[in-house]
Amino acid sequence: MTYHINLIKLLFSMDDHLYRINKAEKIQALWKWCSLLCLFSIIIYGWMALLGIGSDFISSHATALNPTEYELSKLGFVIGRGLYAILLTAIILFLSALIFYSITGIPFRKLIIMQQVVLLMMLVERVLWIPLMLYWGLDWYVSPLSFGIIASYFTEYQWIIYFFGAISLFQLWIIGFQVKFLRYLSPIKRRWIWLTVILLHIFYWAAAASLALIDNHLVRGWFG
């Protein structure tokens, strides 16, 4: 049986597509969707960089730079965000799939399909956050879609706010989707699947919080 990937249809007819993925011996359009998602990631993060999202420290030190240095700084920022988008795509699609493969034994190509859906939802979340930042000045970690805004009422410790800011309604949906996908294709007991998925997400949330803190310090150190 051949399964032709269509992520949009998969979202709206999940059980049918999971059945077909489970039975599939051949998968078509896998690398096409990987390339498209990578391209979308670069476009979205590049667009955010062009809008100036995340470049506050560069703008605030514009007077200390001559016009050429300032433009080069902006260009470097855009290129950096593009490279970050490529790295993010690789981690979500391939590293996560490899981890799940080592635990469940589900064919690697089928796990990439799961992670394609995950990346698609993460990009949708990112696009929805852009107007929140542009019009209301809400950083990603205090988005109304995340738990960071709640954490900010209880602590001023930035790492904790970043950590809970990485936990959003979209992330909770992704956890549920991954558990359903893995349960459908693997005989592993439900509790072990839940434990694996949640622990992996906790690691990613902690990594996201740490990177946000490091990125903040690096930019301050470079332009401070």
Side-chain angles (χ1 to χ4, degrees), residues 3 5 7 10-11 18 21 30 37 92-93 96-101 104 106-121 173-183 185 193 197 200-201:
Y3 177 74
I5 298 175
L7 299 185
L10 193 160
L11 287 172
L18 289 179
I21 292 170
L30 182 72
L37 288 168
I92 298 301
L93 292 184
S96 297
L98 184 62
I99 292 172
F100 284 122
Y101 170 73
T104 66
I106 297 171
F108 184 66
R109 291 168 67 88
K110 294 182 180 182
L111 290 169
I112 291 178
I113 298 174
M114 178 182 76
Q115 290 306 113
Q116 287 175 341
V117 175
V118 169
L119 180 58
L120 177 63
M121 297 308 294
W173 183 91
I174 286 170
I175 289 174
F177 166 74
Q178 287 178 316
V179 168
K180 182 173 184 176
F181 191 104
L182 296 172
R183 283 188 59 207
L185 274 70
I193 290 177
V197 172
L200 184 59
H201 277 271

Side-chain angles (χ1 to χ4, degrees), residues 145-213:
L145 299 173
S146 76
F147 292 90
I149 193 168
I150 298 175
S152 66
Y153 284 104
F154 295 96
T155 181
E156 294 182 357
Y157 187 50
Q158 283 298 111
W159 190 91
I160 294 177
I161 296 174
Y162 290 153
F163 177 83
F164 283 97
I167 308 173
S168 66
L169 298 179
F170 278 83
Q171 289 290 313
L172 297 181
W173 183 91
I174 286 170
I175 289 174
F177 166 74
Q178 287 178 316
V179 168
K180 182 173 184 176
F181 191 104
L182 296 172
R183 283 188 59 207
Y184 207 103
L185 274 70
S186 172
I188 295 177
K189 291 183 179 180
R190 179 191 300 183
R191 63 176 178 271
W192 293 115
I193 290 177
W194 274 104
L195 182 63
T196 299
V197 172
I198 290 174
L199 286 177
L200 184 59
H201 277 271
I202 289 174
F203 172 78
Y204 282 154
W205 296 334
S210 300
L211 286 173
L213 202 61

Side-chain angles (χ1 to χ4, degrees), residues 121-141:
M121 297 308 294
M122 290 176 66
L123 294 177
V124 170
E125 179 182 19
R126 183 59 53 173
V127 170
L128 292 177
W129 166 71
I130 291 174
L132 296 177
M133 178 63 186
L134 291 178
Y135 297 109
W136 290 282
L138 296 177
D139 277 308
W140 62 269
Y141 51 86

